[in-house]
């Protein structure tokens, strides 16, 4: 392996609870009451695809899907700035990667505006050699496009990259890209068979070791 590609939400920042809070609040404004379990169904997807997913199932009147997406983005920016914190073991995991002299990249489903907000909040602006958003691709995760573009930016073959992911959609995308996958599922989803596609499954970044990246 020559590079480690980190997902962002749920891997470098503890943002999945923030996403659930933001989604439930914003969708409630258009009359759609979501549960946490509902929000988990779209975990790892692009925001525009999340909006389209729910609009197709429960169309609402008033605000357009684009307006709802903008509300969701603004709510997330506020939550990240006020309550964003790194995932346990992030500094340790980055240290493991540096020890192996591996290159480091970020490939996220989030909008570049939110990626910038996260990197600023966590003071990680200089950490990643390549930063890619699935917003810039024709399709988001579980399509492999964002990972393939990241490998291309690194001038590496997909088989030379290992991905660290927390969502089923992300694991599927990385596997479809032909990359090694380390999955770190949310604790209550650890036994979910959707993560069985991963090469390695961990409880947290604190369990990451050099052999897992080989």
């Amino acid at each position: 392996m020559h590079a480690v590609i980190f997902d962002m939400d749920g891997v470098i920042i503890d943002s999945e609870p923030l996403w659930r809070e933001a989604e439930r609040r914003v969708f409630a404004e258009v009359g759609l009451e979501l549960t946490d379990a509902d929000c988990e169904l779209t975990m790892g997807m692009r925001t525009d695809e999340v909006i389209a997913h729910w609009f197709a199932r429960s169309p609402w009147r008033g605000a357009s899907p684009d307006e709802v997406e903008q509300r969701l983005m603004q709510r997330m920016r506020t939550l990240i700035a006020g309550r964003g914190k790194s995932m346990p073991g992030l500094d340790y995991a980055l240290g493991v990667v540096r020890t192996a002299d591996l290159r480091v990249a970020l490939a996220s489903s989030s909008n570049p505006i939110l990626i910038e907000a996260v990197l600023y909040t966590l003071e990680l602006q200089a950490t990643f050699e390549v930063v890619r958003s699935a917003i810039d691709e024709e399709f988001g995760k579980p399509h492999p496009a964002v990972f393939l573009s990241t490998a291309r930016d690194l001038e590496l073959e997909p088989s030379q990259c290992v991905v660290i992911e927390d969502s089923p959609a992300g694991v599927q995308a990385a596997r479809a890209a032909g990359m090694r996958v380390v999955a770190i599922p949310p604790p209550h989803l650890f036994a979910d068979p959707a993560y069985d596609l991963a090469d390695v499954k961990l409880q947290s970044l604190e369990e990451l070791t050099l052999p897992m990246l080989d």
Side-chain angles (χ1 to χ4, degrees):
M1 293 298 162
H2 291 257
V4 177
I5 303 174
F6 286 78
D7 175 44
M8 186 178 77
D9 293 293
V11 173
I12 72 168
I13 183 170
D14 188 13
S15 56
E16 294 302 345
L18 305 184
W19 274 109
R20 290 194 293 272
E21 178 180 331
E23 288 174 14
R24 293 186 66 175
R25 175 171 174 170
V26 170
F27 281 111
E29 293 173 354
V30 294
L32 183 58
E33 299 293 335
L34 299 182
T35 65
D36 284 348
D38 289 331
C39 296
E40 287 175 353
L41 292 175
T42 58
M43 186 172 70
M45 293 170 57
R46 296 188 325 199
T47 51
D48 61 330
E49 293 175 334
V50 172
I51 303 296
H53 173 90
W54 292 116
F55 188 76
R57 285 157 179 75
S58 302
W60 56 80
R61 295 183 177 181
S64 69
D66 285 345
E67 290 171 330
V68 173
E69 184 179 5
Q70 290 306 310
R71 292 180 190 178
L72 182 57
M73 294 272 294
Q74 183 55 51
R75 183 60 185 160
M76 276 302 297
R77 287 181 70 183
T78 300
L79 291 174
I80 289 168
R83 291 160 45 192
K85 60 181 181 179
S86 60
M87 291 294 291
L90 177 61
D91 288 342
Y92 163 78
L94 289 171
V96 170
V97 172
R98 293 189 189 102
T99 298
D101 199 26
L102 296 170
R103 299 163 71 187
V104 187
L106 179 70
S108 172
S109 291
S110 284
N111 189 286
I113 293 173
L114 296 185
I115 294 175
E116 181 180 355
V118 168
L119 296 182
Y120 177 81
T121 298
L122 301 185
E123 300 182 351
L124 295 173
Q125 299 98 318
T127 299
F128 302 99
E129 178 180 344
V130 169
V131 175
R132 294 287 305 193
S133 167
I135 293 295
D136 298 323
E137 310 294 340
E138 184 176 0
F139 302 105
K141 302 172 186 178
H143 194 280
V146 70
F147 289 126
L148 294 174
S149 293
T150 302
R152 187 165 56 249
D153 288 349
L154 290 166
E155 299 183 342
L156 294 174
E157 294 297 322
S159 60
Q160 295 175 305
C161 303
V162 56
V163 172
I164 301 180
E165 265 284 357
D166 76 308
S167 71
V171 170
Q172 292 174 42
R175 175 60 69 210
M179 298 179 178
R180 182 172 175 80
V181 188
V182 175
I184 307 179
H188 64 291
L189 296 178
F190 193 82
D192 191 321
Y195 292 95
D196 292 345
L197 286 173
D199 295 280
V200 179
K201 190 166 64 170
L202 306 178
Q203 298 281 356
S204 79
L205 288 170
E206 296 167 317
E207 296 179 350
L208 189 69
T209 64
L210 284 176
M212 296 174 186
L213 303 176
D214 190 3

